[in-house]
Amino acid sequence: MAAHVFTVRASSWAGLFDCAHRWEAEHLLGIRKPAGMRALLGTAVHAGTAIFDQGRVDGSGVTADEAAGAVVDTLRNPEFDVDRTQDGLSLTESERIGLTAHTLYCTRISPQFTFLGVENKLDPLEIECSNKLTVILTGTMDRARAAKTEDGPVIADVKTGTRVIEDGRASTRGRAAQVGTYQLMYEQTERVSTAGGQILALSTTSKPAAAVSNVFDARRVMVGTEQEPGLIEHAAAMFKTGLFPPNPSSPLCSPKYCSRWNTCLFRER
């Protein structure tokens, strides 16, 4: 029997545990939908803040205003398909929100950290699911930075959206799969132990806000304990069986987010 190798972007890993059925359609079957304006807004904010932080790392002295150009350029010239009618957000309003969030990040969040790297390219992480099946996680820490702390590097992941801040605090709910994957891949690449993960949250509502979470052990969720299997083992079972279970209670279960919506047996009708 021939060996099967699945190559998966690390940044998509969290979606596998939200709705595996939707994830399979997008990342294994290649069924995709155009992104909405809010997704594009998040990409734009990440582009600007990454340039600013990289300037701090390499000492080039890029200012917040200079880095803000990437926010506007990304919104006006996206590198992926965008449905600009989605989300009811105009380009003008997107630019206002994006530039405000970018400024909040550069003035309030970034100065709290000494970054070791920004969106590092990571060595592939191989997950052996059986003798004949391997999943290889590849890519970069698309929206994350490695921050220096007394206890070791922390994977600081920038999150944008309308629900990333709850009661004034950066939400870590549902973040462990992606951040934990970055922790594992960073440890393998740099040959160091990480101290945990952290969420750098930028709310992109009409009134942008910023918040930083406590450091949390996202890696543990991925690898599990002696008593309980981690998400890696659960993922391996999906790939071995070819069964990617649906989650009709997912907040992303809608025609807006799911490319499988029209043919999905499990969605609410």
Side-chain angles (χ1 to χ4, degrees):
M1 181 183 296
H4 293 282
V5 177
F6 293 94
T7 301
V8 177
R9 287 181 59 202
S11 58
S12 78
W13 200 236
L16 176 63
F17 305 102
D18 176 61
C19 177
H21 205 54
R22 183 183 67 245
W23 185 92
E24 178 198 26
E26 182 173 349
H27 297 284
L28 295 186
L29 303 180
I31 307 171
R32 299 181 180 274
K33 286 179 64 67
M37 284 300 290
R38 288 212 168 272
L40 177 59
L41 175 57
T43 299
V45 172
H46 283 99
T49 56
I51 289 175
F52 179 77
D53 283 341
Q54 185 60 51
R56 294 187 58 218
V57 171
D58 60 29
S60 63
V62 176
T63 67
D65 285 345
E66 291 168 340
V71 178
V72 175
D73 184 60
T74 301
L75 286 169
R76 295 182 180 181
N77 305 288
E79 295 182 352
F80 49 85
D81 290 338
V82 177
D83 179 359
R84 293 189 180 274
T85 66
Q86 203 178 108
D87 300 322
L89 199 61
S90 69
L91 178 59
T92 299
E93 181 67 359
S94 297
E95 288 182 357
R96 184 193 69 79
I97 293 172
L99 291 172
T100 303
H102 171 82
T103 301
L104 283 173
Y105 178 88
C106 296
T107 57
R108 299 187 187 180
I109 291 183
S110 183
Q112 299 180 44
F113 298 92
T114 298
F115 291 113
L116 303 171
V118 178
E119 299 186 357
N120 300 59
K121 184 172 178 59
L122 302 173
D123 293 340
L125 176 65
E126 293 191 8
I127 300 172
E128 296 290 342
C129 300
S130 69
N131 291 333
K132 296 295 182 180
L133 195 154
T134 302
V135 177
I136 302 176
L137 295 178
T138 65
T140 64
M141 295 193 298
D142 287 358
R143 300 180 174 183
R145 294 89 162 102
K148 181 180 180 180
T149 73
E150 293 180 355
D151 299 319
V154 166
I155 304 304
D157 197 9
V158 179
K159 292 296 182 187
T160 61
T162 58
R163 297 191 181 100
V164 294
I165 298 177
E166 298 178 351
D167 298 324
R169 298 182 178 182
S171 174
T172 59
R173 189 187 324 173
R175 308 300 188 194
Q178 185 172 10
V179 179
T181 301
Y182 287 154
Q183 276 189 252
L184 291 171
M185 295 181 73
Y186 186 85
E187 289 177 348
Q188 174 183 263
T189 301
E190 300 297 331
R191 303 293 191 269
V192 297
S193 296
T194 57
Q198 196 165 24
I199 301 300
L200 314 182
L202 290 169
S203 172
T204 51
T205 61
S206 59
K207 296 182 179 179
V212 176
S213 78
N214 292 329
V215 175
F216 64 102
D217 186 4
R219 182 184 185 280
R220 179 174 178 272
V221 173
M222 292 298 293
V223 300
T225 66
E226 292 183 0
Q227 293 75 36
E228 294 183 83
L231 290 179
I232 286 178
E233 288 187 60
H234 286 289
M238 290 188 228
F239 281 93
K240 280 195 290 187
T241 62
L243 296 175
F244 294 86
N247 178 18
S249 64
S250 164
L252 301 182
C253 186
S254 78
K256 176 179 176 180
Y257 298 111
C258 182
S259 60
R260 207 169 202 164
W261 173 265
N262 290 333
T263 60
C264 182
L265 173 68
F266 308 100
R267 67 177 174 85
E268 294 183 8
R269 297 178 185 273

